[in-house]
Amino acid sequence: MSELSDLYQELILDHNRQPHNFHGMPDATRKAEGYNPLCGDQITVYLKLDNNRIQEVSFEGKGCAISKASASVMTDEVKGKTPLEAGSLFEKFRELVTQPKEDQPDKDELGRLAVFSGVSEFPARVKCATLAWHTLHSALEAQKGVTTTE
Ligand code: ZN
């Protein structure tokens, strides 16, 4: 087992203290809210989708360090991507935080998201780490009338 301090690596703590893209977006074209009842994490994700690209993305909310840091890193990583690219990154991230280390995707493909690899050893934290991604997914799917409960 990793030490708990491995989970709270410095980058995660930095993003928790000073989250990136942490603000509302009055002219967002998409918006979704997410809630993780297990931990009490709440998040609203805002998007500006143009030419099938995520031109702007931001979030607001409150929650634990993992949920906030994950949302912060996510907004950095998905900005400029197409919804399809963001979706495939979500799949990789989900594998990262749910699979044992030997089955996790290549760290090179994950960039800064790789700091969350320790989450896989703390199953109760998986929902914290993926909340922002589920909420982003809801925002991207909103036009099709799909609602998720995450
Ligand atoms: Zn949490």
Side-chain angles (χ1 to χ4, degrees), residues 36 39 41 64 67 125 128:
N36 171 20
C39 179
D41 308 317
C64 65
S67 70
R125 290 296 186 185
C128 301

Side-chain angles (χ1 to χ4, degrees), residues 36 41 64 66-71 74 90 93 97 116 119 124-134:
N36 171 20
D41 308 317
C64 65
I66 297 288
S67 70
K68 211 164 171 184
S70 177
M74 179 192 80
F90 179 22
F93 182 71
V97 295
F116 295 96
V119 171
R125 290 296 186 185
V126 170
K127 279 182 182 288
C128 301
T130 55
L131 177 66
W133 289 90
H134 281 293

Side-chain angles (χ1 to χ4, degrees), residues 38-106:
L38 285 179
C39 179
D41 308 317
Q42 281 177 298
I43 187 172
T44 305
V45 171
Y46 303 91
L47 291 179
K48 229 180 269 178
L49 208 58
D50 191 27
N51 281 328
N52 197 38
R53 283 204 183 270
I54 300 168
Q55 306 287 357
E56 297 286 342
V57 51
S58 69
F59 75 104
E60 286 181 314
K62 53 183 183 185
C64 65
I66 297 288
S67 70
K68 211 164 171 184
S70 177
S72 175
V73 176
M74 179 192 80
T75 55
D76 281 345
E77 291 293 319
V78 301
K79 191 173 174 182
K81 288 195 163 48
T82 66
L84 205 64
E85 289 166 344
S88 91
L89 203 57
F90 179 22
E91 281 309 310
K92 288 201 186 84
F93 182 71
R94 184 146 55 179
E95 283 174 34
L96 176 78
V97 295
T98 56
Q99 300 298 313
K101 281 223 160 49
E102 59 272 21
D103 295 330
Q104 288 178 0
D106 191 0

